[in-house]
Amino acid sequence: MHLDDIVRALDLRVVSGEERLAAEVRGGYVGDLLSDVMANSKEGDLWITRQIHQNIIAVASLKDHAGIILIQGCQPAADTLDKARKEGVPIMVTDMPGFEVIGRVYNMIAGKKGPDPSA
Amino acid sequence: MAVWKGLTTNVLSRETAIYENSFPVEGGTYENAGHVSSQIKALLKRMKISKEVVRRAALVTYESEINICSYARSGKILLRVTPEHVTIEAIDEGQGIVDIELAMQEGYSTATDKIREMGFGAGMGWDFVTSRIFPISFVSPRRSAKAPISRWLLVSIKILMAFSLI
Ligand SMILES: Nc1ncnc2c1ncn2[C@@H]1O[C@H](COP(=O)(O)OP(=O)(O)OP(=O)(O)O)[C@@H](O)[C@H]1O
Ligand SMILES: [Mg+2]
């Protein structure tokens, strides 16, 4: 699964890191607590959050995330956007609520990996 | 001051530092928060240290750095790399930690609303560091014996270069 597939399927607005949309998305992580995301997310994850301040860029870049989706119309703060552009971290925004975004991203990634083992 | 002693000699003692450096961290602001962690991660990657060790070092450094930004006036992160270990120490000048056991407890935090708004201050930082990184040798926060009263050695963590995953 590549980031641009998800961007297209969910009609996300890409506001930074356009040059990294070919990146592979290996999984996803959802969270607004930065220590949690730092400790528990993995490389290649797509991070879904509603945090908009600049500290999210350090976390995404330290963890080598594929990108960040801001949900429910959240817009990155101006310094967040600056940092994201400088470091080439893709930020995507959407008006969709988190529940829907997470479900759709999960289905795309899990669908690609094969049938749901819990089904 | 960065000190490179070269990776190539095989006469190095196991605890000879290959690299040693100190990185200043500004307290009371998040403006550059994460900057030292990024620098250290990039350095370790360039030294061809294994991904898992780099991941652990980045987590320890990040939590230390954010705590200095959140709770101290200023501080520094010391990085020391030997053939066997990556050692990270955080030292700061500030209020220090009075009750260390309490501070290390999951969920305990004295974070202000402003800190919480940014997604910090869940009181999970140290808990994650100690539970996600194993094995490590861990020195919990204490006051540095030689340092003036306002200076605290917050944490000293040794990450083994070779370990088996739990
Ligand atoms: N450098 C420091 N100086 C003084 N007190 C500190 C320092 N670092 C941590 N503490 C104290 O220890 C508590 C617990 O720290 P810990 O990192 O586990 O959680 P937190 O920073 O409050 O939240 P989180 O790490 O989940 O964002 C802090 O709330 C604070 O009271
Ligand atoms: Mg903390």
Side-chain angles (χ1 to χ4, degrees), chain A residues 35, chain B residues 63 66-68 70-72 92 95-97 103-105 108-111 119-127 154:
Chain A
S35 292
Chain B
E63 290 305 332
I66 294 297
N67 280 357
I68 293 172
S70 305
Y71 306 110
D92 78 22
Q95 65 210 29
I97 301 176
M104 303 298 280
Q105 257 173 39
Y108 175 82
S109 177
T110 57
F120 301 117
M124 301 172 76
W126 285 132
D127 191 65
L154 290 161

Side-chain angles (χ1 to χ4, degrees), chain A residues 26 32-41 43 51 53-55 58-59 61-64 83 87, chain B residues 30-34 37-38 41 45 51 55 58-59 62-63 117-120 122 124-125 128 132:
Chain A
R26 296 196 211 157
D32 297 334
L33 292 175
L34 274 67
S35 292
D36 166 39
V37 178
M38 195 61 208
N40 299 317
S41 65
E43 181 180 347
Q51 292 289 3
H53 56 81
Q54 52 144 334
N55 293 295
V59 172
S61 126
L62 278 166
K63 298 297 292 189
D64 295 308
K83 240 184 193 161
E87 301 201 17
Chain B
Y30 292 116
E31 206 176 312
N32 291 309
S37 311
S38 306
K41 181 189 164 197
K45 263 174 97 172
K51 254 188 158 167
R55 186 189 71 75
L59 176 60
Y62 184 77
E63 290 305 332
E117 249 168 52
M118 309 187 100
F120 301 117
M124 301 172 76
F128 282 137
R132 297 296 187 279

Side-chain angles (χ1 to χ4, degrees), chain A residues 86-119:
Chain A
K86 226 184 281 158
E87 301 201 17
V89 174
I91 298 181
M92 290 135 294
V93 298
T94 177
D95 293 329
M96 263 187 278
F99 186 67
E100 197 178 335
V101 176
I102 293 160
R104 290 178 66 177
V105 169
Y106 179 85
N107 281 335
M108 283 188 78
I109 295 174
K112 194 82 178 184
K113 278 182 184 160
D116 181 0
S118 66

